[in-house]
Amino acid sequence: MARIVVAGAGAIGASLAYHLASLGARDVVLADRGRVARGATSKAMGGVRQQFSTAAEVRLAQASIRFFEELGEPLFAQVGYLFLATTEQGLAELEERRELQAELGVPVERLDARFVEGLRTDDVLGAVFCATDGVADPPAVTRELVRRALRLGVEVREGTAAETLEAEVLVIACGPWSAALGAARGVDLPVRPLCRQLLETSELPQPPENLPMVLEAESGFHFRRRGHRLVLAMVDPEPRWGFEEVVDETLYDDCLERLRHRYAPAAEATIERGWAGLYDMTPDAHPILGEVADGVYAACGFSGHGFMQSPAVGRALAEEILGLSPSLDLEPYRLERFDSGAGFAETLIL
Amino acid sequence: MLRGVLAAAVTPLRDDGAALDEEAFGLYLAFLAAAGLDGILALGTTGEGILLSAAERRRAAELFLDGPLPVIVHCGAQTTAETAALAGHAAESGAAGVAVISPPYYALDDESLLAHLAAAAHACAPVPFYVYEFQARSGYAVPLPVLERLRELAPNLAGLKVSDRPLEAVEPYLLEGLDVFVGAEDLVLAGLERGSAGAVSGLASVFPEQVVALVRDRAGDVTELRRTLDRYPFQAAAKFVLGRRGVPLREDVRPPLRRLNDEEKRELDAWLESS
């Protein structure tokens, strides 16, 4: 069987290598210029949700959730995702998405947000909640998948550029660094790095273990619990394109104010640190999956959703590479869609 | 993600142990790398970390990190503040991992120990964090419930270095989803059979080829090497033998550790010649 080299040992590459080996591939190398789970994966929020705005994306997320459920605690905490709307328009959009999601079998429901103790709801017009969404820790999950891949015989090469290895099949899973490797193989991958940042609060006295991921639909502000702290994120006022990973401290106050407004138990919290990481954006904010040149596959361009989609994507692409019938329809994610202008819009980029 | 054989490296010192021997790091690290090691643990028990000042530990970590091998930096100190500061520095300097032993002297209860380890792990996140379990040195074992709670509080908890013996003391720590490195060379193979990630070996700081062969090829026996070196103060014996093996390393260790006396050196020389 052909030697398969997976370039990039983040969430996507680890899932792919694991699934390739579990489907019987015997000569798989997972290579990373750096170390396992130390690029964009180590910077990610770790939210895992099914509440997307297109059917293809929802199906990807549903298949991934099943995998996270099998991983279970402490790697995955199924605390749910709570979307809050504070305007009529925001509520209408939430409701429209909820209908699509519900049709596809996602257990998402309208409910009274007051079930989250300490949450301010007097300005909330409506809320939707999906109890089977949750939060995970991306590097921990990725390390676990690499452990499993190692047990199945995958060779893991850290500090090794994939292009220096002989490969009959090369998979580009380098996140924001994918375009460069694509170019080296004569493939133009429209993947651009976008700098985003996360903030972490000081310790809260007793944050509830079942605190859901809370999101404000209109502003995109959201937060989750991690240990005794909260991790906050928000879309930047101006997108910061480029490879530079810099924390913009001028955004701290606004984020903290939103948190204090929304969540009373965080009234005394401060921002203890922030870190920046890179999204690998495509023009339509959907990934590029499948063969892009002879013997070269792409698994990149996840546009901020890579970790949560990694289980299903890893499995389906592994199946396709091995000539099996993919368990998910990968057709919406082909590179060719950008030639024909057939890109479809994912409106919910957090 | 570290696996395989890591050497618990010695720390090159000079001036009767009063200062780091900065020039010696490069050649020593090249010697370790040439033997095929997968990485090193710096500033642990073999590396005299606990005897160095915080500033020296930072500088030594940087010198180890300048070398060709991935480095887990041991950052355990007596106080939580110093431990966390060292862990943060190691992470910023490019460590592949950070390890921390339970602080010796005070027998910490579960809550204190958990807070200490969680603070250290948080300070180096997302760099992988390893708990260094060595009951004979810290004075008490890390209770399993503390590890389970630490996994929830510190998702970057990647595993443990367990230097306990016998095997029955190591086995409870071989937890699913954690990478465990076994310290005692005579337990390394049994550990691997039970799913450990490899070895962090003090002996490999002096005889890396032999420990690499033991783990990778299941070949050879290092019991005699370990037993011989254990007759002497280990750090001093390690540095002396390394010197005899051609690594330009001084014999200096940090007091209260002591150098070998002349008779001990003669014995070791005789042993080296005969073996």
Side-chain angles (χ1 to χ4, degrees), chain A residues 282-298:
Chain A
T282 62
D284 61 6
H286 289 295
I288 301 166
L289 302 172
E291 195 166 23
V292 292
D294 197 23
V296 181
Y297 286 77

Side-chain angles (χ1 to χ4, degrees), chain B:
Chain B
M1 210 160 90
L2 285 165
R3 310 191 76 75
V5 189
L6 280 67
V10 303
T11 302
L13 296 176
R14 56 182 300 158
D15 304 341
D16 285 330
L20 297 174
D21 186 3
E22 298 206 4
E23 285 74 40
F25 280 74
L27 284 172
Y28 177 47
L29 290 169
F31 162 79
L32 293 177
L37 289 167
D38 297 296
I40 61 168
L41 173 88
L43 302 166
T45 309
T46 307
E48 302 174 65
I50 210 90
L51 296 176
L52 305 182
S53 72
E56 288 171 323
R57 292 178 73 165
R58 285 187 170 83
R59 178 63 188 147
E62 289 162 4
L63 291 164
F64 280 118
L65 287 163
D66 275 346
L69 289 168
V71 182
I72 297 180
V73 180
H74 175 247
C75 297
Q78 203 69 51
T79 66
T80 302
E82 186 169 330
T83 305
L86 289 170
H89 170 266
E92 284 162 19
S93 307
V98 164
V100 167
I101 196 167
S102 311
Y105 196 81
Y106 295 106
L108 300 183
D109 67 9
D110 288 11
E111 193 179 335
S112 316
L113 183 57
L114 178 66
H116 178 80
L117 295 173
H122 185 251
C124 68
V127 169
F129 180 78
Y130 298 84
V131 171
Y132 182 9
E133 158 60 30
F134 198 175
Q135 181 174 6
R137 292 291 169 271
S138 60
Y140 53 101
V142 179
L144 291 176
V146 169
L147 285 176
E148 291 300 342
R149 285 168 67 196
L150 185 62
R151 282 172 101 157
E152 290 163 22
L153 290 182
N156 59 326
L157 175 66
L160 297 96
K161 180 201 173 186
V162 181
S163 293
D164 298 333
R165 58 191 341 144
L167 187 60
E168 291 70 41
V170 177
E171 277 179 324
Y173 291 110
L174 294 168
L175 298 168
E176 178 71 28
L178 290 178
D179 295 328
V180 176
F181 292 89
V182 173
E185 289 88 8
D186 53 335
L187 302 180
V188 165
L189 293 185
L192 286 170
E193 280 167 18
R194 287 160 179 78
S196 80
V200 174
S201 156
L203 193 64
S205 69
V206 190
F207 296 106
E209 316 89 327
Q210 285 83 344
V211 183
V212 166
L214 173 75
V215 173
R216 213 161 283 161
D217 313 323
R218 311 284 196 270
D221 184 358
V222 299
T223 325
E224 174 62 21
L225 294 177
R226 171 51 94 168
R227 199 176 293 148
T228 304
L229 288 185
D230 275 349
R231 287 191 206 119
Y232 308 94
F234 187 77
Q235 292 75 11
K239 288 178 179 178
F240 175 78
V241 174
L242 278 165
R244 287 294 193 261
R245 297 201 67 196
V247 184
L249 214 59
R250 296 166 203 263
E251 297 168 32
D252 307 53
V253 292
R254 170 72 47 99
L257 298 183
R258 69 163 175 87
R259 286 201 213 189
L260 301 185
N261 60 39
D262 289 345
E263 191 180 336
E264 289 167 335
K265 290 182 194 176
R266 274 195 298 276
E267 285 173 15
L268 272 175
D269 272 332
W271 171 69
L272 283 168
E273 265 175 43
S274 68
S275 56

